Structure formats: structure tokens, C-alpha cells
Amino acid sequence: MGNCCCHEKQPRRHPLQKNIGHNSGVDGKLAHILETNPRSHVDIIRTRPTPTRTNVPRCNKIVVALYNYMARDVSDVSFKKGDRMEVLDDSDGDWWTVTHLLSKETGLIPGNFVAKEQSVESEDWFFEEVSRKEADKLLLAAENPRGTFLVRPSEHNPQGYSLSVKDWEEMREYHVKHYKIKPLDNGGFYISTNKTFLTLTELVQAYSKNAFGLCHVLSKPCPKPQPQMWDLGPGVRDNWEIPRIQIKLVKKLGRGNFGEVYYGKWKDLTVAVKTLREGTMSTAAFLQEAAIMKKLRHKQLVALYAVCSKEEPIYIVQEYMCKGSLLDFLRKDEGRTLGFEDLIYIAFQVASGMEYLESKQLIHRDLAARNVLIGENMMAKICDFGLARVIEDNEYCPKQGSRFPVKWTAPEAIVYGRFSIKSDVWSYGILLMELFTFGQVPYPGMHGREVIEQVEKGYRMPKPTSHQLPDDIYKTMISCWDGKPENRPTFEFLTHYFEGFNVTSEIPYREVPD
Ligand code: ADP
């Protein structure tokens, strides 16, 4: 625990940067080179040198491990939570060169698994990248007792933090209370003005001994989920064309439109492997798109780890999402019992992933509940972004055909092939209807052609009577289906709308009275 205020670095970042990794964003130059020579990515990205003990500048920073990590390559170093390491080079955002202070091994480690020793980020209770909604989800896990807590940067006050605490009350059962931690002008923090502290650590220590008016004394830090990995390992981060022999297909998970999907292994790591039937798409076009997909980083987009494209069928190696597609999930036991808060949380996450694509001026073209995957803690991630552009299956192209997703597609995209982020907003409105009806097929009882004709005439799906859907959310769906694309909301708006949606069981953001 870092008690010394001079060591305690208070992290700052722009709220909009919170989900974006160091190498985020589409590299325009790379995308351009790939356009002219789709296969060239392998040569371009292999040129990055692997740091060695002799050529790295020392930066003399001691870091402490926040999680366990098992080496995946010859170039990386294993460590356990709490181990200390000296950083020799952290100039690469993802993989840092360190010397392990116990084993004396030198090699690469994932930079987001460690934090500077005695910094606030090294505290078990400090969660740098969680939103209020995620904090609720993490704290409400059944195994956490009353008083489980975390501290996170405030989403609204760039200098402030929030303390989120799990509480229990007779009438409301388990729920989470959020307290503002305000900064003092001359440094330091307070929740209540009559109790000020020099550091967040001191504040947490004090409220761990005495509730001082909080709903409950702070009992235990919330368990931290492992951070997202964007590569399989340092050796394959750039050379992400991997030999097929390294992939073990363990169990078939499902059948997609373009091939089968497997639960698989790369070394000891669990992955999902999408196999693409021969002729589904040209390898060159796919690799071009995959290079862009590989550059996109957002926690609401499924991470693309690697590909095997030397022979058919092409394998796409992705992050594994244990609960499968949102559509199947909603229709099965666990999904059918989801509470309203969970539905709002999923709507928020999908909007947030789409907001990221919107900010990169990319479009999905096939946004639907079947293309959202669910993982632990109700984590929702969009998949198949980018793939729609390279599919060579006539039936799936906007030319009419049995598998063209007419019910999800905006009229201007169906009629004129005008796909845009605004046609994605239309699809998002349909996805919302799927979500709030627990996976009902949109426009029940209507055929594709009828839908096209009726929607053109101004027909819109009515508010379902069978499920509780607040009028306001239905109005938002209708706004997504505005005939004029420019009148539809942005994903930025939709993210904030669902982020701030006041579920009745929630109490407003509270402060402890003075
Ligand atoms: P397609 O887009 O080609 O139709 P999908 O991506 O929908 O194929 O995959 C089919 C099924 O495989 C999904 O419904 C889901 O159950 C499973 N699946 C796909 N990707 C993953 C993944 N990354 N993790 C876990 N399951 C997945």
C-alpha cells in the first residue's frame, strides 16, 4: 500500500481516451499501403526490432504486478501478482522490457498488467478504466460481501474520483452506492468537507476503519478482472499470420454464415476460431480488412488476435466470449431472466463500441444481436465489424437474397446501397428491439419484401405489449428509424443516453452529507 504522498501519482486521462490502447486507431498510412499491396503488411510490421538487454534505454522505474502472467513465448517473462520488476524500456505501449527483481530474468511483459510501485494505480481498489455501470456490475457479483468497494476516476469531473460501494438494505437488497471524491485546491481529497485527506490511499484507509456516514465501512477491494490483451503474445503481435499447426480446434461452438466457429487453444490460451468456407471472400481483400480490424481497440469490440490465411479455409483467431451470441443468450435460460438494468447495460455497451467505430469513420453494415457476443459479467462486444465489406457471397450482398438481413437494414441501404454510420444507427434501433423483446425476430409475422414495402411507406415496429419497455426508450428506437439518415441520433448520443439512463431501482449519485 502506498502511503507516502510524494510517491502517489494521481493518474489523469481524458474520459474519451479511457477505452483506447496506446496503439489505437487505424493507421492511415498502413491502410493505404495495404490498399495498394494487401499482402505487404507482413513485411511492413516485421521490421520492428525486438529490444535486447544492450540496446534499451534504462528508465529505472520499479513496477509491481497487479495480476499473474504466464510467459507465452521465448521473449516474455512470467510473474505473479505482487512481484517487483525494473522497467528497462516502456516506449512500446503494450510490451515493456523489464528485469524481474526476483528471478533476474529480462524480457517482455504486458504493460497493462503492472503499475508503478507505490502509485495509486498499484492499489487493489483502484480501477482506472471502469465506468459507473461497469462498477455496478463488478461489485454486484454474488461473491462480494457488503462494503466491497472500488475507486475510479470520475466520468464527469476530470480532477475527481468516485468511490463505489456495495450495500444492502431491506427494501432494495444489494445495490451499489456511488460517492463523489472531490479534489481540494491545494491537493488532497474529501468526500465530506469535514474530513480531508492528503491522498486517496489515506482516504480509503480511514473509511476502511470507520464508515463516517458512508452506507457501510469499506470491507474489501472489488476483485479486478484481468485487463484486455490485444495480441496472443509478444512474438505474434506483429506477425499475426500464424502457422495453422499452432491452433487446436477443441469444440464446435456454432455455425456462422460463412463457416464454423470453434472453441480452441493457442498454446495454453483459450481462443475462438472462425473458419471461413472456401470462396467466401478473397484472401487479399480479407487480409486488407483484417489489418484494419487488428488496429481497432475498444473493449466493446471483439479482439482479433491472429489469422491463418496461407491455405483455405482461412482461420480468424479471436478473443473467446464464453456466453456466445447475444441473440442466443437472450433466448436461453440466463438471458431470459435478465433484469432491466442488464438490458440497459448491454444497450450502453453496444452503443459505446459503435461510438468508437463512428469516431474512426468506419461502418459495420451488419449490426444485429447475432453479431454481439456476451462474456463474463455481462460484457458485450461487437464482432464481425469490417467483414461485411469483403464477403463475396452474393446472397449476403445488398442485391436481394434470402440471407440479406433486410429487417436490420436501413431503407436507403437496401434501395440505393447507401451504407453509412447512420444506416448502422438504424440497425442499432432494431437490435434494441431484439434486446428488449428477449430475442424476438423483428417485424414478427412479416416477410422481408413486406418489410421493405411497409417501411418505405412509413410503417415502424410498434411498441411491444408483451414486454416492459419504457416509452422513452421506444422513442429512441423510433428516432433511430427516422426516414432521413441525418435525423437519426449519433452513437455518441446513444452511449450517453444509455449510460445515464436512470433505472428506477437506482438512486441518484449521492454525496455523504456534511
Ligand atoms: P457468422 O457471422 O459467420 O454468421 P458468427 O460470428 O455469428 O458467424 O458465429 C456463429 C456462432 O459462433 C455465434 O452465434 C456464437 O455462438 C459463436 N461465436 C462466434 N464468435 C465467437 C467468439 N469470439 N467467442 C465465442 N463464441 C463465438
Side-chain angles (χ1 to χ4, degrees), residues 112-338:
N112 56 355
F113 275 54
V114 296
K116 196 169 168 197
E117 192 174 41
Q118 295 195 331
S119 66
V120 71
E121 294 94 330
S122 72
E123 300 284 8
D124 281 342
W125 41 260
F126 190 78
F127 284 51
E128 197 168 359
E129 296 201 344
V130 302
S131 63
R132 178 189 160 112
K133 281 216 184 305
E134 284 168 289
D136 286 350
K137 200 76 229 158
L138 292 169
L139 287 164
L140 287 173
E143 63 274 19
N144 292 335
R146 190 176 177 189
T148 303
F149 71 101
L150 60 86
V151 175
R152 58 193 167 85
S154 159
E155 288 164 272
H156 307 292
N157 175 4
Q159 301 308 319
Y161 295 87
S162 300
L163 169 66
S164 305
V165 189
K166 182 170 180 177
D167 192 23
W168 188 90
E169 278 164 347
E170 187 82 37
M171 299 301 286
R172 298 179 59 209
E173 308 221 316
Y174 279 114
H175 57 274
V176 175
K177 288 193 176 132
H178 303 273
Y179 299 93
K180 287 179 186 169
I181 302 178
K182 292 187 175 167
L184 287 161
D185 287 344
N186 52 353
F189 301 93
Y190 68 95
I191 293 177
S192 165
T193 45
N194 61 8
K195 286 215 163 19
T196 63
F197 302 92
L198 281 175
T199 65
L200 287 177
T201 303
E202 284 182 18
L203 181 148
V204 165
Q205 284 172 345
Y207 284 100
S208 301
K209 291 194 190 107
N210 192 321
F212 293 126
L214 293 186
C215 60
H216 196 272
V217 69
L218 305 182
S219 62
K220 105 177 182 32
C222 184
K224 257 187 206 175
Q226 279 224 348
Q228 171 91 47
M229 299 281 295
W230 302 103
D231 318 297
L232 289 173
V236 284
R237 59 157 327 172
D238 291 339
N239 311 325
W240 44 274
E241 169 75 53
I242 59 169
R244 187 171 302 249
I245 195 159
Q246 290 184 357
I247 294 289
K248 206 153 84 200
L249 303 180
V250 180
K251 188 177 134 213
K252 193 152 109 183
L253 292 172
R255 173 177 280 275
N257 271 308
F258 309 110
E260 277 146 1
V261 183
Y262 292 85
Y263 165 94
K265 290 275 179 190
W266 178 84
K267 301 191 176 172
D268 281 339
L269 280 182
T270 297
V271 292
V273 185
K274 276 189 90 152
T275 63
L276 295 181
R277 260 198 322 271
E278 290 185 30
T280 304
M281 60 182 74
S282 97
T283 308
F286 165 70
L287 285 178
Q288 185 173 344
E289 199 62 37
I292 294 173
M293 282 154 59
K294 187 86 181 84
K295 289 267 163 190
L296 297 176
R297 289 182 172 196
H298 189 279
K299 57 184 170 181
Q300 261 60 62
L301 300 186
V302 169
L304 171 73
Y305 287 145
V307 297
C308 308
S309 68
K310 299 266 187 240
E311 315 124 56
E312 304 238 30
I314 293 177
Y315 284 2
I316 306 177
V317 184
Q318 291 181 339
E319 169 181 12
Y320 172 68
M321 299 289 287
C322 61
K323 303 215 165 134
S325 89
L326 171 61
L327 183 61
D328 295 339
F329 181 72
L330 288 168
R331 291 174 175 179
K332 283 193 221 133
D333 304 341
E334 191 185 345
R336 287 161 71 108
T337 61
L338 288 187

Side-chain angles (χ1 to χ4, degrees), residues 352-368:
S352 145
M354 289 306 298
E355 180 190 359
Y356 175 74
L357 288 187
E358 181 176 73
S359 74
K360 300 282 165 206
Q361 296 181 323
L362 289 169
I363 52 177
H364 189 294
R365 296 176 189 231
D366 196 8
L367 185 59

Side-chain angles (χ1 to χ4, degrees), residues 86-102:
E86 183 189 356
V87 179
L88 307 179
D89 184 8
D90 61 0
S91 57
D92 178 296
D94 295 334
W95 295 94
W96 297 358
T97 308
V98 301
T99 296
H100 193 294
L101 293 181
L102 208 65

